[in-house]
Amino acid sequence: MANEFPENRERTANSRHANITSSLDLSTSLDHSVQTRIFKIIVIGDSNVGKTCLTFRFTGGAFPCKTEATIGVDFREKAVEIEGEKIKVQVWDTAGQERFRKSMVEHYYRNVHAVVFVYDVTKMASFQNLKTWIQECNGHGVSSSVPRVLVGNKCDLFDHIQVPSNTALKFADSHNMLLFETSAKDPKESQNVDSIFMCLACRLKAQKSLIYRDVEREDGRVRLTHPPDPKSTCPC
Amino acid sequence: MESWKSHVRAELFHRDCRQRDPFSGLFDKVSRLEEMLDFHIKLWQSSSKENSNSTCPNEGGTLYLRVNEVEFLNQQLKQKIADLTSNIYLKEAELQYCHSQVARYRTEAVLLAQGASCLKSDLEEYEYQLECQSKELTALRREHSTLTEEMATTKLQEEELLERWLEEKKQEAERINKHNATQERWQRLAGRLKKRYRGRSRLPPCVALAANTNNSSDSKPKQVEHLASSS
Ligand SMILES: Nc1nc2c(ncn2[C@@H]2O[C@H](COP(=O)(O)OP(=O)(O)OP(=O)(O)O)[C@@H](O)[C@H]2O)c(=O)[nH]1
Ligand SMILES: [Mg+2]
């Protein structure tokens, strides 16, 4: 990508006296050079709540038969298409154990686009610790405009549920978050897991379109050429 | 007193002193003499009542005394014999009991000896086992200490590896964050450029041409740089 920029500049300089056709050429080449947008989504929560399994379910489409505690962070990506735009969802599967994450926290939150808080529905402590995770998130300067969702995992263990849905819902409401209760293990829930990330991607796309519109306004040419319409293909 | 008499006296005295029951011989003798005296007095009294007229004892009287005395001694001896016979029976029974006890103790002793020899062999075996186990224990202790040492080094290595891994992950995260930021900047810039050219393409050709010719030779790269720095 770093090489593309001087090339473009050269081409721009050479077309000084060209007509509109060459201008259009440039526009097309710019179109080509614009790479897929990346949405950085971090997955946060206690150790053992199933962050790795959830992210693996979304990016790999399966439940991993064996997982180890994540050390530092694992990066996973999935290319999705929303309203005809190809988008790369970059999922940061973070470590839940303090000793495996302590030196990395600031990197997690840098330029993050969305946050997924995960708790284990069969473990009340993981739900109670959400407060700490939210505090950490806010403490790292993550703006309130960054979309956040709450995910209660391991719903397949319905005999062992400790966190009632309405308690989780109240909590999510009070923090202005959407709540998803799902299971990374249950194949029937696979679509639900996908929809967590797709919903965030849609919201981000809508938000970003607004930002572009603002950029255009700054330029003094208020032309709402592509008003955002996230509802058209958004799963949420 | 004559010297031999005093010598005998002294020896007798010594003998009595040495005896387990001192002076028992003398006491026996005294009690026997007293008994005999009592017997003589009783006999004398009964015979004096019968012959109150005669004042001094005659030949017949002495004989009578002797006969009675022998009778008395005879009685005493009979009693003694009976006592001794019963004593002999008792002792025999006691002896038999002792024999049976001895036999019992002998068998018991034999059994105990057998048990002792068994215990002794057991003890030997246990001693052998103990020795083997103590040797094993020393070997295990040695192994344990080497394993502990190994574990400590492995733990240290693990910690180092973890540090390295975390460091690498940190660098990777930094790289990805940087890449994301560059990508986002480039996209914003490319978007602006695209819009600028799209706007220009909408102008009539002559205006567009004029706009192009009015610009200084390096106006576009400047714009690009300006956009790049503003984003
Ligand atoms: N039953 C059930 N088990 C799950 C589910 N999701 C994860 N698990 C199990 O929970 C354990 C922990 O899962 P991970 O995904 O490794 O947990 P984590 O949050 O990534 O943990 P850290 O990496 O230590 O932060 C594993 O044994 C999974 O098999 C689920 O939906 N249902
Ligand atoms: Mg994990």
Side-chain angles (χ1 to χ4, degrees), chain B residues 193-212:
Chain B
L193 278 175
K194 215 169 70 182
K195 266 155 209 158
R196 203 160 272 200
Y197 279 104
R198 206 182 291 144
R200 209 154 276 190
S201 67
R202 287 205 183 138
L203 292 173
C206 55
V207 182
L209 204 63
N212 277 339

Side-chain angles (χ1 to χ4, degrees), chain A residues 47-48 50-53 55 67-71 74 76 93-96:
Chain A
S47 180
N48 229 35
K51 300 182 291 296
T52 301
C53 293
T55 56
T67 57
E68 302 281 342
T70 308
I71 298 175
D74 282 334
R76 300 207 164 81
D93 169 23
T94 69

Side-chain angles (χ1 to χ4, degrees), chain B residues 135-196:
Chain B
K135 270 181 198 160
E136 231 170 86
L137 183 72
T138 348
L140 282 174
R141 272 209 184 121
R142 211 172 302 134
E143 206 178 324
H144 179 257
S145 71
T146 45
L147 282 176
T148 321
E149 269 168 37
E150 262 172 45
M151 200 171 79
T153 37
T154 316
K155 238 180 200 165
L156 216 72
Q157 272 176 359
E158 190 202 317
E159 224 128 88
E160 268 170 31
L161 279 176
L162 185 71
E163 280 298 311
R164 260 173 56 194
W165 192 348
L166 275 174
E167 192 51 42
E168 265 172 38
K169 283 276 174 189
K170 212 156 77 181
Q171 278 169 11
E172 198 180 348
E174 251 166 50
R175 221 165 33 237
I176 289 177
N177 272 334
K178 218 176 258 174
H179 172 258
N180 286 356
T182 321
Q183 175 103 344
E184 208 167 319
R185 245 196 351 259
W186 166 241
Q187 265 160 0
R188 215 171 288 165
L189 171 66
R192 280 183 188 184
L193 278 175
K194 215 169 70 182
K195 266 155 209 158
R196 203 160 272 200

